[in-house]
Amino acid sequence: MKMIIAIVQDHDSQRLADRLAKNDFRSTKLATTGGFLRAGNTTFLCGVRDERVDELLTLIDDTCGNREQTVAPVTPMGGNADSYIPYPVEVEVGGATVFVLPIEQFERF
Ligand code: 2BA
Ligand code: 2BA
């Protein structure tokens, strides 16, 4: 069994959740924040049998598209001034950042 951790854009998260359920993949969805843009993104945890890992990765790839995003400056009010980006920057926000981890043990109590 593997644990797939997929960080996707909020924009794609509902569609991905729907497609996972429709294809009988179990998942847990977390509301997360990117360390660089400080904007919301969504992290999916999916515990999946080894033989379905490729199918799941293809589904994520098909569902989450790459796009450019211009990041406006964010006022560092109440935050850390060291991380202040004083000018708009264009970044390519990945369709999905995916980690595949081995699972040592899986239990349901
Ligand atoms: P949910 O996805 O909201 O699922 C709630 C319950 O609905 C599940 O309880 C299960 O009894 C049923 N269920 C979910 N998907 C199903 C399916 N495709 N077919 C038939 N029944 C289904 P639990 O299995 O105790 O799971 C509780 C929560 O734990 C899940 O909430 C999900 O957030 C998480 N979870 C379970 N298995 C997971 C996995 N393999 N990977 C990631 N998260 C998992
Ligand atoms: P953020 O950290 O908010 O990053 C958003 C996008 O900004 C990144 O897209 C990347 O294109 C760019 N970016 C990030 N750090 C940068 C830097 N130091 N210099 C220049 N550009 C930078 P993605 O790479 O597609 O990542 C999307 C989100 O996935 C990230 O949001 C973060 O939440 C997560 N992520 C990406 N790589 C990760 C990793 N190695 N570990 C944990 N989370 C990761």
Side-chain angles (χ1 to χ4, degrees), residues 62-97:
D62 286 350
T63 310
C64 307
N66 253 4
R67 76 188 161 95
E68 294 276 314
Q69 184 171 324
T70 304
V71 190
V74 181
T75 325
M77 264 176 53
N80 181 356
D82 293 345
S83 62
Y84 178 52
I85 305 170
Y87 47 87
V89 285
E90 185 107 321
V91 294
E92 187 178 278
V93 186
T97 299

Side-chain angles (χ1 to χ4, degrees), residues 7 32-39 41 66 91-97 99:
I7 303 160
T32 46
T33 304
F36 186 67
L37 296 183
R38 314 291 160 105
N41 52 29
N66 253 4
V91 294
E92 187 178 278
V93 186
T97 299
F99 301 92

